[in-house]
Amino acid sequence: MEELLINIEGPILLWIQEYLRFDILTPIVTFITHLGDSGWIWIACTILFLLLPKTRKTGIVMTISMLLNLLATNIVLKNLFARTRPYVAVEGLHRIIEAQSDFSFPSGHTACSFAAATVIFLMCPRKVGVPAMVLAVLISLSRLYVGVHFPTDVIGGALIGIGAALLALWIYGKLKRPEHAPVEKTE
């Protein structure tokens, strides 16, 4: 199965390398990709949201979302799938950032970005939510540009991040339900 995916996705990455990498664009994309390193940009946003009373609820949900994502992506799925990085598996593909120390699937940068940005998008005004989603998409696409992820790594990471965000919202809703709230009786 992995060989089939490499045969399908390898040419996509080689096409990106050949036709979309430009000397003037590379420093910008490299900067964007490093915004996602260890999720630091999203952790900083979460801390900011937690510190401000008006956005504290969003910060709490972001914290839950990113913790769920960390568990699913970095602890379980990367080790379960143990997918080789594309710059190792695809002949002729050259990465333009440092070698990555973990497995390829799913993209942790993408998953973390979507785990945080989806919460922001769903809980904040559009003037904050839309830029957060745009940044998540840019970080995700940058992983293909720099040659460290396959397209399915990025798609999988986005789906996992969105799922973590939705689950975090559900968990928060369950935790915040008043203890003495009336429960509907079914007859």
Side-chain angles (χ1 to χ4, degrees), residues 45-183:
C45 288
T46 301
I47 292 168
L48 179 63
F49 280 116
L50 288 168
L51 292 174
L52 301 172
K54 287 176 71 172
T55 59
R56 190 161 293 136
K57 178 180 173 182
T58 303
I60 292 167
V61 177
M62 287 173 70
T63 301
I64 297 167
S65 178
M66 291 195 302
L67 288 172
L68 290 169
N69 172 69
L70 176 69
L71 176 65
T73 301
N74 295 73
I75 296 173
V76 176
L77 295 173
K78 279 188 178 280
N79 294 309
L80 180 67
F81 286 96
R83 188 174 194 193
T84 305
R85 292 283 179 169
Y87 54 83
V88 174
V90 178
E91 189 174 330
L93 182 66
H94 304 286
R95 62 180 165 76
I96 55 175
I97 63 169
E98 63 282 348
Q100 305 297 287
S101 61
D102 58 357
F103 294 113
S104 192
F105 181 86
S107 167
H109 281 64
T110 301
C112 183
S113 295
F114 275 91
T118 301
V119 171
I120 297 169
F121 184 79
L122 294 174
M123 296 184 73
C124 293
R126 294 295 172 239
K127 66 183 178 183
V128 178
V130 170
M133 287 303 286
V134 168
L135 181 58
V137 169
L138 290 174
I139 289 172
S140 302
L141 293 176
S142 75
R143 305 307 283 170
L144 302 174
Y145 183 95
V146 300
V148 297
H149 278 293
F150 290 101
T152 51
D153 300 340
V154 170
I155 293 167
L159 293 174
I160 292 161
I162 292 167
L166 296 175
L167 182 57
L169 282 163
W170 180 82
I171 290 169
Y172 184 81
K174 290 292 185 186
L175 294 175
K176 289 305 284 183
R177 192 173 115 208
E179 288 181 35
H180 302 292
V183 179

